[in-house]
Amino acid sequence: MSEPSFEPSPLAPRRTPEEQARDRNRGVGSVVSHQAAHQQFAEEVEYYLSLTPRQLPSRYFYDELGSALFELISRLPWYRITRTERRLLGAHAGDIFARMAPLSTLVELGPGNGEKLATLIAGRSHPGMSVHLVDVSGAALEAATRALTIHTDLVLSAHQASYETGLAEVTREQRTTGRSLVLFLGSNIGNFDPPGADAFLRNVRAALTGGDAVLLGADLVKPERDLLLAYDDPLGVTAAFNRNLLVRANRELGADFDLDGFTHRAVWNADASRIEMHLVSARRQRVRVPAARLDITFEAGEPIWTESSHKYRQNDVHAMLDRAGFGAIEQWVEDGFALTLAEAR
Ligand code: AVJ
């Protein structure tokens, strides 16, 4: 039996010692951070699945499959956030850049596939801005970078980091005199509970200087049946997106979730002004998650709470920004969605 061969192909060019060293070290950082990310996933699953009620954090939705499923969600007729926001960005880009002049730096926290940022940037009046993309997902950074490469006048930096760390990196690197605009779009703010949203916005404010600004996308309260259709769509895409968390736990943590044993549920919690997504155990069943040292018995009907999407009234958005040290300059509203430009005081 012959060994597999790892010799370089005779057609491969000879590499210099420098190139060989670089090849050896390539990806070492990402291997380390991959292990750290796996460890953190295991620890958070252990912690959140042990709470009452049991929970799983929504940020773990976005592995490769989950990100693709979210892109499908954003195209569903019942989920209007992405489409509406993109329309608002296209329609008001000129206005936004005019009000922010002289703008030198754009930062987007969580750019996703970069489409919304590209729509905004297409409406700029002056060339030559620095654009910083901050995301924990390397795949998202690649996609967003690709979406912007046609704009050759931009100086792009990708920060594979948490929002907080990424913002700190941007502030540290900055040597420009113009103003900065931080984008936090898609109603991603809605995944924070109200104290978390306040803390997040205060943190953004702390990274900025008076005259800099934030552009915040926030989904508004609307009739319950519209909200439920957006989070429990007739094609079952959102159900797949939700249950993919269990697929991920099975693959990455060695869990033995029976995918047919959990059903997707979306509920409107009017008191807390949020849609909640749950995965509900269809029967009494035992689940083991070895990497998270868990051995759980779920009761029939017992939920795992996987996401909150808070919905706002127009004034809630103003008040939230005000508490964080921002004064609203303008709010554009369409189809139950608000895009708010607010300046750091
Ligand atoms: C990307 C967090 C804004 O909460 O509406 C879509 C994610 N969850 N369908 C949202 C999501 C279910 C989305 N955010």
Side-chain angles (χ1 to χ4, degrees), residues 24-104:
R24 270 197 310 280
N25 294 323
R26 197 200 312 274
V28 166
S30 74
V31 168
V32 171
S33 77
H34 181 264
Q35 280 169 358
H38 178 270
Q39 173 75 10
Q40 188 175 354
F41 183 37
E43 281 169 12
E44 295 211 81
V45 166
E46 179 178 10
Y47 175 79
Y48 283 97
L49 271 186
S50 303
L51 293 177
T52 312
R54 299 188 195 282
Q55 301 176 35
L56 284 171
S58 59
R59 66 177 160 283
Y60 291 110
F61 281 138
Y62 303 94
D63 64 355
E64 199 186 326
L65 179 56
S67 300
L69 287 167
F70 176 69
E71 283 210 24
L72 290 182
I73 289 173
S74 73
R75 295 175 202 196
L76 295 173
W78 308 280
Y79 188 87
R80 312 180 69 84
I81 291 180
T82 318
R83 247 187 318 269
T84 305
E85 186 175 48
R86 200 172 168 186
R87 207 162 45 232
L88 283 169
L89 288 167
H92 302 293
D95 223 355
I96 291 165
F97 285 111
R99 282 163 184 277
M100 287 306 298
L103 184 71
S104 60

Coordinates of all heavy atoms in Angstrom, one line a residue, residues 24-104:
R24 N 4.5 28.3 6.1 CA 4.4 27.5 7.3 C 3.5 28.3 8.3 O 2.7 27.6 9.1 CB 5.8 27.4 7.9 CG 6.5 26.1 7.5 CD 7.6 25.8 8.4 NE 8.5 26.9 8.7 CZ 9.5 27.4 7.9 NH1 9.7 26.8 6.8 NH2 10.2 28.4 8.3
N25 N 3.6 29.6 8.4 CA 2.9 30.3 9.4 C 1.5 30.8 9.0 O 0.7 31.2 9.8 CB 3.7 31.6 9.8 CG 5.0 31.2 10.4 OD1 5.0 30.3 11.2 ND2 6.0 31.9 10.1
R26 N 1.2 30.6 7.7 CA -0.1 31.0 7.2 C -1.2 30.3 8.0 O -1.2 29.1 8.2 CB -0.2 30.7 5.7 CG -1.4 31.5 5.1 CD -1.8 30.9 3.8 NE -0.7 30.5 2.9 CZ -0.2 31.4 2.0 NH1 -0.5 32.6 1.9 NH2 0.8 30.9 1.2
G27 N -2.1 31.1 8.5 CA -3.3 30.5 9.1 C -3.1 30.1 10.5 O -4.0 29.6 11.2
V28 N -1.8 30.2 11.1 CA -1.6 29.9 12.4 C -2.5 30.7 13.4 O -3.2 30.1 14.2 CB -0.1 30.0 12.8 CG1 0.1 30.0 14.3 CG2 0.7 29.0 12.2
G29 N -2.5 32.0 13.1 CA -3.4 32.8 13.9 C -4.8 32.4 13.8 O -5.5 32.3 14.9
S30 N -5.3 32.0 12.7 CA -6.7 31.6 12.5 C -7.0 30.3 13.1 O -8.1 30.0 13.6 CB -7.1 31.7 11.1 OG -6.6 30.6 10.4
V31 N -5.9 29.4 13.2 CA -6.1 28.1 13.9 C -6.4 28.3 15.3 O -7.3 27.8 16.0 CB -4.9 27.2 13.6 CG1 -5.0 26.0 14.6 CG2 -4.9 26.7 12.2
V32 N -5.5 29.2 15.9 CA -5.6 29.5 17.3 C -7.0 30.2 17.6 O -7.7 29.7 18.5 CB -4.5 30.5 17.8 CG1 -4.8 31.0 19.2 CG2 -3.2 29.8 17.7
S33 N -7.4 31.1 16.8 CA -8.6 31.8 17.1 C -9.8 30.9 16.8 O -10.9 31.0 17.4 CB -8.8 33.1 16.3 OG -9.1 32.8 15.0
H34 N -9.6 29.9 15.9 CA -10.7 28.9 15.7 C -10.9 28.1 16.9 O -12.0 27.8 17.3 CB -10.3 28.1 14.4 CG -11.4 27.1 14.1 ND1 -11.3 25.8 14.6 CD2 -12.5 27.2 13.4 CE1 -12.4 25.1 14.2 NE2 -13.1 25.9 13.5
Q35 N -9.8 27.7 17.5 CA -9.9 26.9 18.8 C -10.5 27.7 19.9 O -11.4 27.2 20.6 CB -8.5 26.4 19.2 CG -8.0 25.2 18.5 CD -6.6 24.9 18.7 OE1 -5.9 25.6 19.5 NE2 -6.1 23.8 18.1
A36 N -10.1 29.0 20.0 CA -10.7 29.8 21.0 C -12.2 30.0 20.8 O -13.0 30.0 21.7 CB -10.0 31.2 21.0
A37 N -12.6 30.1 19.5 CA -14.0 30.3 19.1 C -14.8 29.0 19.5 O -15.9 29.1 20.0 CB -14.2 30.6 17.7
H38 N -14.2 27.9 19.2 CA -14.9 26.6 19.5 C -15.1 26.5 21.1 O -16.1 26.1 21.5 CB -14.0 25.4 19.0 CG -14.6 24.1 19.3 ND1 -14.3 23.4 20.5 CD2 -15.5 23.3 18.7 CE1 -14.9 22.3 20.5 NE2 -15.7 22.2 19.5
Q39 N -14.0 26.8 21.8 CA -14.1 26.8 23.2 C -15.2 27.7 23.8 O -15.9 27.3 24.7 CB -12.7 27.2 23.8 CG -12.6 27.4 25.3 CD -12.5 26.0 26.0 OE1 -12.4 25.0 25.3 NE2 -12.7 26.0 27.3
Q40 N -15.2 28.9 23.2 CA -16.3 29.8 23.7 C -17.7 29.3 23.3 O -18.6 29.5 24.2 CB -16.0 31.2 23.0 CG -16.9 32.3 23.6 CD -16.7 33.7 23.1 OE1 -15.7 33.9 22.4 NE2 -17.5 34.6 23.5
F41 N -17.8 28.8 22.2 CA -19.1 28.2 21.8 C -19.6 27.1 22.8 O -20.7 27.1 23.4 CB -19.1 27.6 20.4 CG -20.4 27.1 19.8 CD1 -21.6 27.7 20.1 CD2 -20.4 25.9 19.0 CE1 -22.8 27.2 19.6 CE2 -21.6 25.4 18.5 CZ -22.8 26.0 18.8
A42 N -18.6 26.2 23.1 CA -18.9 25.2 24.1 C -19.3 25.7 25.5 O -20.3 25.3 26.1 CB -17.7 24.2 24.2
E43 N -18.5 26.7 25.9 CA -18.8 27.3 27.2 C -20.2 28.0 27.3 O -20.9 27.9 28.2 CB -17.7 28.3 27.6 CG -16.5 27.6 28.1 CD -15.3 28.5 28.3 OE1 -15.5 29.8 28.2 OE2 -14.1 28.0 28.5
E44 N -20.5 28.7 26.2 CA -21.7 29.5 26.2 C -22.9 28.5 26.1 O -24.0 28.8 26.7 CB -21.7 30.5 25.0 CG -20.7 31.6 25.3 CD -21.0 32.9 24.7 OE1 -21.8 33.6 25.4 OE2 -20.6 33.2 23.6
V45 N -22.8 27.5 25.3 CA -23.8 26.5 25.2 C -24.1 25.8 26.6 O -25.2 25.7 27.0 CB -23.5 25.4 24.1 CG1 -24.5 24.2 24.3 CG2 -23.7 26.0 22.7
E46 N -23.0 25.5 27.3 CA -23.1 24.9 28.6 C -23.9 25.9 29.5 O -24.8 25.5 30.2 CB -21.7 24.7 29.2 CG -21.8 24.1 30.6 CD -20.4 23.7 31.2 OE1 -19.4 24.1 30.6 OE2 -20.4 23.1 32.3
Y47 N -23.5 27.2 29.5 CA -24.1 28.2 30.4 C -25.6 28.4 30.0 O -26.5 28.3 30.9 CB -23.3 29.5 30.3 CG -23.9 30.6 31.1 CD1 -23.8 30.7 32.5 CD2 -24.7 31.6 30.4 CE1 -24.4 31.7 33.2 CE2 -25.3 32.6 31.2 CZ -25.1 32.7 32.5 OH -25.7 33.7 33.2
Y48 N -25.8 28.7 28.7 CA -27.2 29.2 28.4 C -28.2 28.0 28.3 O -29.4 28.2 28.7 CB -27.1 29.9 27.0 CG -26.6 31.3 27.1 CD1 -25.3 31.6 26.8 CD2 -27.4 32.3 27.5 CE1 -24.8 32.9 27.0 CE2 -27.0 33.6 27.7 CZ -25.6 33.9 27.4 OH -25.2 35.2 27.5
L49 N -27.7 26.8 28.0 CA -28.7 25.7 28.0 C -29.0 25.3 29.5 O -30.0 24.6 29.7 CB -28.2 24.5 27.3 CG -28.5 24.5 25.8 CD1 -28.0 23.1 25.2 CD2 -30.0 24.7 25.4
S50 N -28.2 25.7 30.4 CA -28.5 25.4 31.8 C -29.4 26.4 32.5 O -29.8 26.2 33.7 CB -27.2 25.3 32.6 OG -26.4 24.3 32.0
L51 N -29.7 27.6 31.9 CA -30.5 28.6 32.5 C -32.0 28.1 32.4 O -32.4 27.2 31.7 CB -30.4 29.9 31.7 CG -29.1 30.6 31.7 CD1 -29.1 31.9 30.8 CD2 -28.7 31.0 33.1
T52 N -32.8 28.8 33.2 CA -34.2 28.6 33.2 C -34.9 29.9 32.8 O -34.8 30.9 33.5 CB -34.8 28.2 34.6 OG1 -33.9 27.2 35.1 CG2 -36.2 27.7 34.6
P53 N -35.7 30.0 31.7 CA -35.8 28.9 30.7 C -34.4 28.7 29.9 O -33.6 29.6 29.9 CB -36.9 29.5 29.7 CG -36.7 30.9 29.8 CD -36.4 31.2 31.3
R54 N -34.3 27.6 29.3 CA -33.1 27.3 28.6 C -32.9 28.2 27.4 O -34.0 28.6 26.8 CB -33.1 25.8 28.1 CG -33.2 24.8 29.2 CD -33.0 23.4 28.7 NE -33.4 22.4 29.7 CZ -32.7 22.0 30.7 NH1 -31.5 22.5 30.9 NH2 -33.2 21.1 31.5
Q55 N -31.7 28.6 27.1 CA -31.5 29.5 26.0 C -30.3 29.1 25.1 O -29.5 28.3 25.6 CB -31.2 31.0 26.5 CG -32.3 31.5 27.4 CD -31.9 32.9 28.0 OE1 -31.2 33.7 27.3 NE2 -32.4 33.2 29.2
L56 N -30.2 29.7 23.9 CA -29.0 29.6 23.1 C -28.8 31.0 22.5 O -29.8 31.6 22.0 CB -29.1 28.5 22.0 CG -29.0 27.1 22.4 CD1 -29.3 26.1 21.3 CD2 -27.5 26.8 22.9
P57 N -27.6 31.6 22.5 CA -27.4 32.9 22.0 C -27.6 33.0 20.5 O -27.0 32.2 19.7 CB -26.0 33.3 22.4 CG -25.5 32.3 23.4 CD -26.3 31.0 23.1
S58 N -28.3 34.0 20.0 CA -28.6 34.1 18.6 C -27.4 34.4 17.7 O -27.4 34.2 16.5 CB -29.6 35.2 18.3 OG -29.2 36.5 18.8
R59 N -26.3 34.9 18.3 CA -25.1 35.2 17.4 C -24.5 33.9 16.8 O -23.8 34.0 15.8 CB -24.0 36.0 18.1 CG -23.3 35.2 19.3 CD -22.2 36.1 19.9 NE -21.9 35.6 21.2 CZ -22.6 35.9 22.3 NH1 -23.7 36.6 22.2 NH2 -22.3 35.3 23.4
Y60 N -24.9 32.7 17.4 CA -24.4 31.5 16.8 C -25.2 31.0 15.6 O -24.9 30.0 15.0 CB -24.3 30.4 17.9 CG -23.2 30.7 18.9 CD1 -23.5 31.1 20.2 CD2 -21.9 30.7 18.5 CE1 -22.5 31.5 21.1 CE2 -20.8 31.1 19.3 CZ -21.2 31.4 20.6 OH -20.2 31.8 21.5
F61 N -26.2 31.7 15.2 CA -26.9 31.4 14.0 C -26.0 31.4 12.7 O -26.3 30.8 11.8 CB -28.1 32.4 13.7 CG -29.3 32.2 14.5 CD1 -30.0 33.3 15.1 CD2 -29.8 30.9 14.7 CE1 -31.1 33.1 15.8 CE2 -31.0 30.7 15.5 CZ -31.6 31.8 16.0
Y62 N -25.0 32.3 12.8 CA -24.4 32.7 11.5 C -23.1 31.9 11.2 O -22.0 32.5 10.9 CB -24.1 34.2 11.5 CG -25.4 35.0 11.8 CD1 -25.8 35.4 13.0 CD2 -26.3 35.3 10.7 CE1 -27.0 36.0 13.3 CE2 -27.5 35.9 10.9 CZ -27.8 36.3 12.2 OH -29.0 36.9 12.4
D63 N -23.2 30.6 11.1 CA -22.1 29.9 10.5 C -22.4 30.0 9.0 O -23.2 30.7 8.5 CB -22.1 28.4 11.0 CG -23.3 27.6 10.7 OD1 -24.3 28.2 10.1 OD2 -23.3 26.4 10.9
E64 N -21.6 29.2 8.2 CA -21.8 29.3 6.7 C -23.2 29.1 6.3 O -23.8 29.9 5.5 CB -20.8 28.4 6.0 CG -20.5 28.8 4.6 CD -19.6 27.7 3.9 OE1 -18.8 27.1 4.6 OE2 -19.9 27.5 2.7
L65 N -23.8 28.0 6.7 CA -25.2 27.6 6.3 C -26.2 28.6 6.9 O -27.1 29.1 6.2 CB -25.5 26.2 6.8 CG -26.9 25.7 6.5 CD1 -27.2 25.8 5.0 CD2 -27.1 24.3 7.0
G66 N -26.0 29.0 8.1 CA -26.9 30.0 8.8 C -26.9 31.3 8.1 O -27.9 32.0 7.9
S67 N -25.7 31.8 7.6 CA -25.6 33.0 6.9 C -26.3 33.0 5.6 O -27.0 33.9 5.1 CB -24.1 33.4 6.7 OG -23.5 33.6 7.9
A68 N -26.2 31.8 4.9 CA -26.9 31.6 3.6 C -28.4 31.6 3.9 O -29.2 32.1 3.1 CB -26.4 30.3 3.0
L69 N -28.8 30.9 4.9 CA -30.3 30.9 5.2 C -30.8 32.3 5.6 O -31.9 32.7 5.2 CB -30.5 29.9 6.4 CG -30.4 28.4 6.0 CD1 -30.4 27.6 7.3 CD2 -31.5 28.0 5.1
F70 N -30.0 33.1 6.3 CA -30.4 34.5 6.6 C -30.6 35.3 5.3 O -31.5 36.0 5.1 CB -29.5 35.2 7.6 CG -29.9 36.6 7.7 CD1 -31.2 36.9 8.4 CD2 -29.3 37.7 7.1 CE1 -31.6 38.2 8.5 CE2 -29.7 39.0 7.2 CZ -30.9 39.2 7.9
E71 N -29.6 35.0 4.3 CA -29.8 35.7 3.0 C -31.1 35.4 2.3 O -31.7 36.2 1.7 CB -28.6 35.4 2.1 CG -27.4 36.2 2.6 CD -26.4 36.6 1.4 OE1 -26.9 36.6 0.2 OE2 -25.2 36.8 1.7
L72 N -31.4 34.1 2.5 CA -32.7 33.7 1.9 C -33.9 34.4 2.6 O -34.8 34.9 2.0 CB -32.9 32.2 2.0 CG -32.1 31.3 1.1 CD1 -32.4 29.8 1.3 CD2 -32.3 31.7 -0.4
I73 N -33.8 34.4 3.9 CA -34.9 35.1 4.7 C -35.0 36.5 4.2 O -36.1 37.0 4.0 CB -34.5 35.1 6.2 CG1 -34.6 33.7 6.8 CG2 -35.4 36.1 7.0 CD1 -34.2 33.6 8.3
S74 N -33.9 37.2 3.9 CA -33.9 38.6 3.6 C -34.6 38.8 2.2 O -34.9 39.9 1.8 CB -32.6 39.2 3.6 OG -31.8 38.8 2.5
R75 N -34.8 37.7 1.5 CA -35.5 37.8 0.2 C -36.9 37.4 0.2 O -37.6 37.4 -0.8 CB -34.8 36.9 -0.9 CG -33.4 37.4 -1.2 CD -32.7 36.5 -2.1 NE -31.2 36.7 -2.0 CZ -30.4 36.2 -2.8 NH1 -30.8 35.6 -3.9 NH2 -29.1 36.5 -2.6
L76 N -37.4 36.9 1.4 CA -38.7 36.4 1.5 C -39.7 37.6 1.5 O -39.4 38.6 2.0 CB -38.9 35.6 2.8 CG -38.2 34.3 3.0 CD1 -38.4 33.8 4.5 CD2 -38.6 33.3 2.0
P77 N -40.8 37.4 0.8 CA -41.8 38.5 0.8 C -42.3 39.0 2.1 O -42.7 40.1 2.3 CB -43.0 38.0 -0.1 CG -42.7 36.5 -0.2 CD -41.3 36.3 0.0
W78 N -42.2 38.1 3.1 CA -42.8 38.4 4.5 C -41.8 39.1 5.4 O -42.1 39.5 6.4 CB -43.3 37.1 5.1 CG -44.2 36.3 4.2 CD1 -45.5 36.6 4.0 CD2 -43.9 35.2 3.4 NE1 -46.0 35.8 3.1 CE2 -45.0 34.9 2.7 CE3 -42.7 34.5 3.1 CZ2 -45.1 33.8 1.8 CZ3 -42.7 33.5 2.2 CH2 -43.9 33.1 1.6
Y79 N -40.5 39.0 5.0 CA -39.4 39.6 5.8 C -38.9 40.9 5.1 O -38.2 40.8 4.1 CB -38.3 38.6 6.0 CG -37.2 39.1 7.0 CD1 -37.4 38.9 8.4 CD2 -36.1 39.8 6.6 CE1 -36.4 39.4 9.3 CE2 -35.2 40.3 7.5 CZ -35.3 40.1 8.8 OH -34.4 40.5 9.7
R80 N -39.3 42.1 5.6 CA -39.2 43.3 4.7 C -38.0 44.1 5.2 O -37.7 45.1 4.5 CB -40.5 44.1 4.8 CG -41.7 43.2 4.5 CD -43.0 44.0 4.6 NE -43.1 44.9 3.4 CZ -43.5 44.5 2.2 NH1 -43.9 43.2 2.0 NH2 -43.6 45.3 1.2
I81 N -37.4 43.8 6.3 CA -36.3 44.7 6.9 C -35.2 45.0 5.9 O -34.9 46.2 5.6 CB -35.7 44.0 8.1 CG1 -36.7 44.0 9.3 CG2 -34.5 44.8 8.6 CD1 -36.2 43.4 10.6
T82 N -34.6 44.0 5.3 CA -33.4 44.2 4.4 C -33.8 45.0 3.2 O -33.1 46.0 2.8 CB -32.9 42.8 4.0 OG1 -32.9 42.0 5.2 CG2 -31.5 43.0 3.5
R83 N -34.9 44.6 2.5 CA -35.3 45.3 1.3 C -35.6 46.8 1.6 O -35.2 47.7 0.9 CB -36.6 44.7 0.8 CG -36.4 44.0 -0.5 CD -37.8 43.5 -1.0 NE -38.6 42.9 0.0 CZ -38.6 41.7 0.3 NH1 -37.9 40.8 -0.3 NH2 -39.3 41.2 1.3
T84 N -36.4 47.0 2.7 CA -36.8 48.4 3.0 C -35.6 49.3 3.3 O -35.5 50.4 2.9 CB -37.8 48.4 4.2 OG1 -38.9 47.5 3.8 CG2 -38.3 49.8 4.5
E85 N -34.7 48.7 4.1 CA -33.6 49.5 4.5 C -32.7 49.8 3.3 O -32.2 50.9 3.2 CB -32.7 48.7 5.5 CG -31.6 49.5 6.1 CD -30.9 48.8 7.2 OE1 -30.6 47.6 7.0 OE2 -30.7 49.4 8.3
R86 N -32.6 48.9 2.4 CA -31.7 49.1 1.2 C -32.3 50.2 0.4 O -31.6 51.1 -0.2 CB -31.6 47.8 0.4 CG -30.4 47.9 -0.5 CD -30.1 46.6 -1.2 NE -29.2 46.8 -2.2 CZ -28.8 45.9 -3.1 NH1 -29.2 44.7 -3.0 NH2 -27.9 46.2 -4.0
R87 N -33.7 50.2 0.3 CA -34.4 51.3 -0.5 C -34.1 52.6 0.2 O -33.9 53.6 -0.5 CB -35.9 50.9 -0.5 CG -36.6 51.5 -1.7 CD -37.9 50.8 -2.0 NE -38.7 50.6 -0.8 CZ -39.2 49.5 -0.4 NH1 -39.1 48.4 -1.1 NH2 -40.0 49.4 0.7
L88 N -34.2 52.7 1.5 CA -34.0 53.9 2.2 C -32.6 54.4 2.0 O -32.3 55.6 1.8 CB -34.3 53.7 3.7 CG -35.8 53.7 4.1 CD1 -35.9 53.2 5.6 CD2 -36.4 55.1 4.0
L89 N -31.6 53.5 2.1 CA -30.2 53.9 1.9 C -30.0 54.5 0.5 O -29.3 55.5 0.4 CB -29.3 52.7 2.2 CG -29.2 52.2 3.6 CD1 -28.5 50.9 3.7 CD2 -28.4 53.3 4.4
G90 N -30.6 53.8 -0.5 CA -30.4 54.3 -1.8 C -31.0 55.7 -2.0 O -30.5 56.6 -2.6
A91 N -32.2 55.8 -1.4 CA -33.0 57.1 -1.7 C -32.3 58.2 -0.9 O -32.4 59.4 -1.4 CB -34.4 56.9 -1.2
H92 N -31.7 58.0 0.2 CA -31.2 59.1 1.0 C -29.7 59.2 1.2 O -29.2 60.0 2.0 CB -31.9 59.1 2.4 CG -33.4 59.1 2.3 ND1 -34.1 60.1 1.9 CD2 -34.3 58.1 2.6 CE1 -35.4 59.9 1.9 NE2 -35.5 58.6 2.3
A93 N -29.0 58.4 0.4 CA -27.5 58.5 0.5 C -27.0 59.9 0.2 O -26.1 60.4 1.0 CB -26.9 57.5 -0.5
G94 N -27.5 60.6 -0.8 CA -27.0 61.9 -1.1 C -27.2 62.9 0.1 O -26.3 63.6 0.5
D95 N -28.4 62.8 0.7 CA -28.7 63.5 1.9 C -27.7 63.2 3.1 O -27.2 64.1 3.8 CB -30.1 63.1 2.3 CG -31.0 64.3 2.7 OD1 -30.4 65.4 2.8 OD2 -32.2 64.1 3.0
I96 N -27.5 61.9 3.3 CA -26.7 61.5 4.4 C -25.2 62.0 4.2 O -24.7 62.6 5.1 CB -26.7 59.9 4.5 CG1 -28.1 59.5 4.9 CG2 -25.6 59.4 5.4 CD1 -28.3 58.0 4.8
F97 N -24.7 61.9 3.0 CA -23.3 62.4 2.8 C -23.3 63.9 2.9 O -22.3 64.5 3.4 CB -22.8 61.9 1.4 CG -22.4 60.4 1.5 CD1 -23.1 59.5 0.8 CD2 -21.3 60.0 2.3 CE1 -22.8 58.1 0.8 CE2 -21.0 58.6 2.3 CZ -21.7 57.7 1.6
A98 N -24.3 64.6 2.4 CA -24.3 66.0 2.4 C -24.3 66.5 3.9 O -23.6 67.4 4.3 CB -25.6 66.6 1.7
R99 N -25.1 65.8 4.7 CA -25.2 66.2 6.1 C -23.9 65.9 6.9 O -23.7 66.4 8.0 CB -26.4 65.6 6.8 CG -27.6 66.3 6.5 CD -28.8 65.4 6.8 NE -30.1 66.1 6.4 CZ -30.7 67.0 7.1 NH1 -30.2 67.3 8.2 NH2 -31.8 67.5 6.6
M100 N -23.1 64.9 6.4 CA -21.9 64.4 7.1 C -20.7 65.1 6.6 O -19.6 64.8 7.1 CB -21.8 62.9 7.0 CG -22.8 62.1 7.9 SD -22.8 62.6 9.6 CE -21.1 62.2 10.1
A101 N -20.7 65.9 5.6 CA -19.5 66.5 5.1 C -18.8 67.3 6.1 O -19.4 68.0 6.9 CB -19.9 67.4 3.9
P102 N -17.4 67.3 6.2 CA -16.5 66.4 5.3 C -16.3 65.1 6.0 O -15.6 64.9 7.0 CB -15.2 67.2 5.4 CG -15.2 67.9 6.7 CD -16.7 68.1 7.1
L103 N -16.9 64.1 5.4 CA -16.8 62.7 5.9 C -15.6 62.0 5.4 O -15.3 62.0 4.2 CB -18.1 61.9 5.4 CG -18.2 60.5 6.0 CD1 -18.5 60.5 7.5 CD2 -19.2 59.7 5.2
S104 N -14.7 61.5 6.3 CA -13.5 60.8 5.8 C -13.6 59.3 6.2 O -12.8 58.5 5.6 CB -12.3 61.4 6.5 OG -12.4 61.3 7.9

